[in-house]
């Protein structure tokens, strides 16, 4: 994992450490999520990105995905809540981007945090006036990956619980 990947996911974790994570999960579960929008489209014609998150989970309930997009080299980004298995369309200015996804167990919310079912990331080049597919492959998280990404609350406790291993 390169420093850009780690930095982008750490940025997402900082926002998720607040109650933002709970609000995003609730938004995904409350019904069809609003159409995501990029904060500024700039002067050039935008391109469209169709974002899908893939995971080997069997979907029986609406499974929330916290998705972030960042322009290459940016220290901030935009966070969306989507549902696993759905494709999301976003208009973006042309350029290079980084997308990251965290799949959260909708039934795994406790006082000690959310249960993280999957995590993944992918890079994307957006071309003006074109539609680009972005598939983010998500994998089961491990404790070393969460530690490496800095997915911790300000007090040092883990931001997420890991699912019990399946035998």
């Amino acid at each position: 994992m390169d420093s850009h990947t780690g930095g982008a996911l750490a940025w997402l974790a900082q926002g998720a450490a607040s109650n933002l994570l709970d609000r995003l999960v609730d938004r995904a579960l409350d019904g069809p999520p609003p159409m995501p929008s990029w904060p500024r489209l700039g002067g050039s014609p935008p391109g469209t990105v169709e974002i899908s998150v893939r995971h080997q989970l069997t979907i029986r309930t609406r499974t929330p995905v916290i998705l972030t997009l960042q322009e290459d080299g940016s220290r901030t980004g935009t966070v969306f809540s989507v549902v696993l298995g759905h494709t999301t369309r976003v208009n973006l200015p042309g350029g290079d981007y980084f997308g990251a996804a965290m799949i959260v167990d909708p039934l795994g919310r406790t006082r000690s945090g959310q249960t993280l079912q999957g995590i993944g990331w992918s890079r994307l080049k957006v071309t003006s006036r074109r539609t680009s597919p972005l598939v983010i492959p998500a994998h089961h998280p491990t404790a070393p990956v969460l530690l490496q990404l800095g997915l911790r609350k300000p007090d040092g406790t883990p931001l997420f619980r890991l699912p019990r291993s399946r035998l």
Side-chain angles (χ1 to χ4, degrees):
M1 172 182 336
D2 60 27
S3 62
H4 182 75
T5 302
L9 291 170
W11 168 80
L12 177 58
Q14 290 169 2
S18 66
N19 66 352
L20 173 66
L21 179 64
D22 289 334
R23 288 191 324 234
L24 289 167
V25 169
D26 290 341
R27 188 178 304 155
L29 294 174
D30 285 344
M35 188 69 157
S37 62
W38 192 251
R40 60 195 173 336
L41 287 177
S44 65
T48 301
V49 180
E50 292 181 338
I51 305 169
S52 300
V53 178
R54 300 285 183 244
H55 194 271
Q56 63 267 22
L57 283 176
T58 303
I59 302 172
R60 294 187 181 163
T61 61
R62 291 176 55 91
T63 303
V65 176
I66 309 305
L67 179 69
T68 183
L69 287 174
Q70 287 184 294
E71 291 179 89
D72 194 29
S74 175
R75 297 182 146 256
T76 62
T78 300
V79 179
F80 310 101
S81 57
V82 297
V83 175
L84 186 63
H86 293 197
T87 298
T88 302
R89 298 180 125 227
V90 182
N91 291 327
L92 300 171
D96 294 323
Y97 292 85
F98 175 83
M102 295 189 299
I103 301 170
V104 181
D105 182 350
L107 306 174
R109 185 184 308 190
T110 66
R111 277 196 282 191
S112 62
Q114 296 278 352
T115 300
L116 186 64
Q117 292 290 338
I119 190 164
W121 50 87
S122 187
R123 294 189 182 277
L124 168 70
K125 179 155 187 80
V126 176
T127 305
S128 297
R129 297 187 176 132
R130 295 227 167 97
T131 299
S132 306
L134 173 62
V135 176
I136 300 176
H139 305 283
H140 290 290
T142 63
V145 167
L146 295 184
L147 184 61
Q148 183 181 10
L149 294 174
L151 297 177
R152 297 197 169 274
K153 296 177 186 173
D155 65 2
T157 58
L159 182 60
F160 295 101
R161 293 181 311 122
L162 293 175
R164 292 185 183 152
S165 59
R166 298 176 182 111
L167 299 176

